[in-house]
Amino acid sequence: MSSTAAGSPLARPQAAAVETPLRRFISEFAESRLALFGLGLFLLIVAAALLAPWIAPQNPYDLAQLDIMDGRLEPGSRNGADTFIYWLGTDDQGRDMLSGILYGLRISLSVGAGSAILACLVGASLGMLAAYAGGRTDGLIMRLVDLQLSFPAILAALMILAFLGKGILNVVIALVVVEWAYYARTVRGTALVERRREYIEAAQCLALPTRRIIFRHLLPNCLPPLIVVGTMQVARAIALEATLSFLGLGVPITEPSLGLLIANGYEYMLSGKYWISFYPGIALLVTIVSINLVGDQLRDVLNPRLKK
Amino acid sequence: MTVFLLRRLLQAAAVVLVMSLLVFLGVYAIGDPVEILISPEADQIERERAIQALGLDLPLWQQYLVFLGRALQGDLGLSFVFNEPALRLILDRMPATLELAVGATLVALVIGLPLGLYAGLRPHSPVSKGILAGSILGFSLPTFWVGLMLIMVFAVQLGWLPSTGRGETVTVLGMRWSFLTRDGLAHMVMPTVNLSLFKTSLVIRLTRAGVRETMLMDYVKFARAKGLSPARITFVHVFKNILIPVVTVVGLEFGGTIAFSVVTESVFAWPGMGKLIIDSINVLDRPVMVAYLMIIVLMFITINLVVDITYSLLDPRVRLEGKS
Amino acid sequence: MGGCFRAALSGAVLAWMLLPGMPARAQELTMAVGAPVTSLDPHYHQLSPNTAVAQMIFSGLTATDGHARIVPDLAESWRAVDATTWEFRLRPGVRFHNGSDFTAEDVAFTFQRVPNVPNSPSSYAIYTRPIREVQVVDAHTLRLKTAAPYPLMPTDLVSVMILDAETHAKATTEGFNAGPMAVGTGPFRMVSHRNGDRILFERNEGYFGTPPAWQRVTYRMITNDAARTAALLAGDVAFIDQVPTSDLAKLRGDARVALSEITGLRLIYLALDHARREASPFVADNEGKPLPRNPLQDVRVRRALSMAIDRGAIVERVMEGAAIPAGQFLPEGSFSYVSDLAPTPYDPEGAKRLLAEAGFPQGFRITLHGPNDRYPNDARIIQAIGQMWSRAGVRTAVEAQPWTTFIARAGKQEFSIFLQGWGSSSGEGSNPLRNLTATPDREKGYGASNRGRYSNPEVDRLLGEAMQELDDAKREALLQAATRVAFEDVGILPLHIQKNVWAMRKGLAHGPRADELTRAQDIRPAGATR
């Protein structure tokens, strides 16, 4: 939820934004070793997720490949058929945790990124429209935002999933519905301030088409707060999906995401079978940290007010 | 300003009305409460009686009109499960949730502001990087998981804090509060920390971002040039300026905290509104669900309205009349 | 302001003195249950946790022991005077908590109130409906007239808690929940009730039965499984119910904790789509095209599916030993248990042969549905079955969903095959036969939970005869015959019967109950005789 926030109240005038050439952007980004490390880590994770079917020792989504007789084995145990080793142990169904995590990454990343991108597209367009058009359109959109924000994310997602049924696509839809309003609010706040600035007036005087003004002039200047909200929302979406799984409403049980793996292992924490919940937790953590390291640096690079 | 206020109030009323319809339809789309509530041994005749007793034999639009008519008189219906007014059930549970949410907000400010300030003033020190990395944990770890870890470490292993529940309460102003007793406070610690995790991260990040930007502002440079002490610059000029957005966000977040306490309350068996709503969802106690959602909607709309008005007063550049 | 402060201060002092969960005095007990109590009105909402608490405050004419056998409670004895009349002799000298005498008039009043509780989402009227007329013979003798012979009268009356005609004449459900009306003849008095959080009880010193071991009892509700176990381990509570199977191994090895267990009465089974002759919604051929006819109509297919399930593996690996493999409704030792109806042995090769015989040498595709928040390990069980069926050639997809959405869809016959549980609270075979395998019939009140719509005239006939038979031995034989027919025909596909497990701090002892109820009177200090 939330972080709405991050955007609208911070929406203050920005120094004249210039379209930064790509090269300068890259060199500024590379100033932080931490961010580069984060980027490297993130690319590695994405690669691991993409290559999962080839590098995982087992297809954890194929029930016929699982055997409950191999359930809850400790890390380092051999499988019943003695063909490979469960390096990270198995869960209650005899699912290899390593394979489960690799496949789970794909689900979590696609749910997180998919919902964040879609929500951003929907939210930013509506927010921009609200700010630029003003008047009745603005009122309507912002009341819609109020409506959406007034609804607890979990409850909204719960209802949407009850309507649509389970499934990865449905989870994405639910998350988009829950999160678009944050982007809309953020963008509108920034855009309201920006559109009164001289460069927009100048563009209007030049009689540039509205679409061009919005997308070429207004949008780039609203990006920094959007990226702040965006990086936090990707992480948030992944965590929210985990909570939905905990409440029994996330992705299908036979195709667990990282969140569902954690939720499944949660019940075994007290009995000392830590690996069922711990390793997916670590994977989730590393993923989110890497996204945020990149996001933080992006924000600093993109924020014109931090330029000396 | 008056015109603006009036219009916003009207819009807010419209939102509430639309929301009541959506909430009603949404809640009534999930499952069949009779199937959930009725004893499995009940026969067909008993099932028909229960459907009638709960008013579920009427068509949906009639049920909505009945609900709307009563709601206008302040009656949000009787709970299916408890046979008591849904509104009263929720208000009974509200203090427990409020003290948790207020506690979490305070914790977030007390921890988040100094850390964020430090990280903003020394953006390149390793400690600041550590603070920032730590703040990422706050919103990437699932709340339910952190909650159980807290219980395992502090209640089961160390035995320092009680594991669950609300502890002793004291009745003040007709409501039960636990922050007034030692036992109650001990029970509050873990759920409060659990609930404040996300908020603390948020405050750290907002403060850090605000400080970094403000430090580069012309007025800070002037203050430096004037020879003011760094402490004075930081705490008077910078701090005052970043406090406004931080407090605004925390205010906006307050409603979210209440809504999100659902997870924390169920892990810590904290008898608040969130626990009530999760229990009600599990047994499809529709009147309680609808009443809860309507209260949340009203609360958010009020908060948003207040924030928007304050905003227009604080920042004259944002004219909320929205005329171009 | 001063008042507030004083209140706060005295509260703080009080809090110091009463650290909850600490066995400060030997006669205090703090226990935690997993399911919330929703009402203290014993006639408002029929639900296990409500029944458990009702049995602490109130009493019925009859009761059940730990093995679900009928024993006397407020009634000392009963007999069938003729085919349609039951006579109950009541216990003399019993008083309600407020001193009011218990007489036959109170029973008559109770039977009159039961069907008339306003807004009840699940009333107890199903147990009083067979009664046509209540005759108060004298203060301690009662005759109940029924329209037809009704052998289950003493069984049904276990569920009906007796109220006081004087005290409860105008009692409302709110009055019970708030406290003033929670007045019964049971072993405990209710002291206070915080909705969804805890109920405080104190001993009823005038109780007519064995006096309970506890002066004060705190009955807490902790619905989260892990939190409940943690509360026990931390010593915040001394006793918990519904111990999650995942914690069993750890608790068995913990010297501070003792377990109490008993084979329960809850059967976990798969219901099959018997309603459709043609295509069933979640069955398809191997290319994913719907099959023209419903293979589940063929008894060979049903048998094959049953043979392909390794019940021992589910019990050992998924339930971690907290269940026994099942081949019929009830566990051994129950009334109407069929001794030679064993659980179907695991035989994947035999299953493949049977499938081939039924015309599916390559198997088919099926989706198995189930809840994920209702029964212990429900979602894990269906995944395990998915594994087994897939290996036996029936490619199985598994879909779990919350009970709220699941049960509504199951009730509309939207699934092809789905997991369900049934607790035979009465502990005898007519209860599951009437509800699960009898042809649905509104007039008789049969088959209301028969969501697969199984229908077999032979089962119906035998059951019908049994329900008219007052002679216990003859009735048992009829029920056994009906059970045999239903299971040889695989009307439902039984998996296992759950064990009920409680956990407590060392130093306590508990008399486990097959009906899953968690009551403070069943808990004593270890070593004390019951």
Side-chain angles (χ1 to χ4, degrees), chain B residues 130-301:
Chain B
I131 292 174
L132 207 63
S135 79
I136 296 174
L137 297 186
F139 54 86
S140 56
L141 288 173
T143 319
F144 62 88
W145 198 76
V146 177
L148 186 67
M149 290 302 105
L150 287 174
I151 294 179
M152 274 181 65
V153 173
F154 293 102
V156 178
Q157 297 297 329
L158 300 172
W160 292 352
L161 292 167
S163 59
T164 49
R166 205 179 163 201
E168 290 304 311
T169 55
V170 175
T171 305
V172 178
L173 304 173
M175 287 181 268
R176 286 191 303 259
W177 305 94
S178 39
F179 71 98
L180 294 172
T181 71
R182 192 193 143 85
D183 180 50
L185 270 181
H187 279 86
M188 263 183 77
V189 174
M190 287 198 294
T192 309
V193 168
N194 190 224
L195 190 58
S196 72
L197 278 182
F198 173 69
K199 220 189 245 294
T200 310
S201 314
L202 189 67
V203 172
I204 291 179
R205 303 185 133 242
L206 283 174
T207 313
R208 173 184 170 273
V211 169
R212 285 198 66 190
E213 285 177 3
T214 319
M215 288 306 280
L216 299 174
M217 291 274 178
D218 291 342
Y219 71 89
V220 176
K221 288 181 189 154
F222 275 128
R224 275 214 198 102
K226 249 168 73 183
L228 294 183
S229 73
R232 195 179 154 78
I233 294 175
T234 310
F235 288 102
V236 178
H237 296 275
V238 176
F239 204 59
K240 228 166 69 185
N241 254 289
I242 57 159
L243 216 52
I244 300 171
V246 170
V247 169
T248 322
V249 173
V250 169
L252 272 175
E253 265 294 295
F254 188 72
T257 309
I258 289 186
F260 223 75
S261 65
V262 169
V263 176
T264 299
E265 286 182 15
S266 76
V267 171
F268 288 94
W270 188 263
M273 288 156 64
K275 185 79 177 41
L276 178 69
I277 187 67
I278 267 293
D279 288 347
S280 299
I281 290 174
N282 282 336
V283 294
L284 291 182
D285 194 343
R286 289 173 176 172
V288 177
M289 289 160 78
V290 171
Y292 174 86
L293 294 175
M294 290 316 296
I295 287 177
I296 296 272
V297 167
L298 271 177
M299 202 165 63
F300 266 79
I301 287 175

Side-chain angles (χ1 to χ4, degrees), chain B residues 32 35-36, chain C residues 402-412 415 420 451:
Chain B
D32 173 2
E35 282 277 14
I36 310 284
Chain C
W403 179 251
T404 43
T405 42
F406 169 80
I407 192 62
R409 293 183 64 191
K412 286 185 234 153
F415 301 139
Q420 289 251 266
R451 299 197 172 87

Side-chain angles (χ1 to χ4, degrees), chain B residues 39 41 43 46 48 80 163, chain C residues 44 122-123 129 236 425 442:
Chain B
S39 158
E41 294 184 10
D43 55 19
E46 169 60 17
E48 285 159 20
F80 289 168
S163 59
Chain C
Y44 177 68
S122 176
S123 86
R129 202 182 300 134
D236 291 336
S425 59
R442 182 182 180 278

Side-chain angles (χ1 to χ4, degrees), chain A residues 29-239:
Chain A
F29 183 87
E31 268 174 26
S32 162
R33 287 222 191 114
L34 205 61
L36 277 183
F37 172 72
L39 187 65
L41 200 61
F42 181 68
L43 291 177
L44 202 69
I45 291 171
V46 171
L50 286 177
L51 297 176
W54 291 277
I55 54 179
Q58 184 190 60
N59 177 0
Y61 295 168
D62 181 4
L63 282 179
Q65 288 191 27
L66 309 182
D67 188 349
I68 51 166
M69 299 318 277
D70 276 0
R72 302 188 301 272
L73 291 180
E74 280 184 33
S77 312
R78 299 200 72 87
N79 73 333
D82 205 25
T83 47
F84 64 91
I85 293 176
Y86 297 120
W87 289 111
L88 300 181
T90 60
D91 73 357
D92 55 277
Q93 291 294 325
R95 188 178 285 122
D96 175 39
M97 288 314 295
L98 179 64
S99 311
I101 288 171
L102 289 171
Y103 275 75
L105 268 173
R106 313 176 92 177
I107 308 262
S108 287
L109 282 176
S110 41
V111 166
S115 67
I117 290 169
L118 275 177
C120 185
L121 280 179
V122 174
S125 325
L126 284 173
M128 200 76 72
L129 184 67
Y132 196 82
R136 212 157 270 200
T137 321
D138 184 27
L140 191 73
I141 293 176
M142 288 327 283
R143 288 310 72 79
L144 214 62
V145 167
D146 283 356
L147 210 89
Q148 183 56 55
L149 288 178
S150 65
F151 222 78
I154 286 190
L155 297 176
L158 203 87
M159 278 183 197
I160 296 163
L161 289 175
F163 244 140
L164 300 176
K166 288 178 111 174
I168 293 165
L169 189 65
N170 293 347
V171 172
V172 171
I173 293 173
L175 291 174
V176 169
V177 171
V178 165
E179 294 193 332
W180 70 271
Y182 294 113
Y183 295 94
R185 207 171 221 285
T186 309
V187 168
R188 175 182 175 267
T190 321
L192 259 191
V193 175
E194 289 297 322
R195 70 172 296 250
R196 285 170 202 289
R197 302 184 69 85
E198 296 84 353
Y199 70 91
I200 298 290
E201 271 171 32
Q204 279 169 335
C205 289
L206 287 176
L208 293 178
T210 311
R211 219 180 50 195
R212 192 181 153 89
I213 297 178
I214 292 185
F215 286 103
R216 294 296 297 276
H217 298 272
L218 205 47
L219 188 62
N221 284 290
C222 299
L223 269 183
L226 255 191
I227 288 169
V228 182
V229 174
T231 47
M232 253 177 123
Q233 290 298 351
V234 172
R236 206 58 198 147
I238 294 177

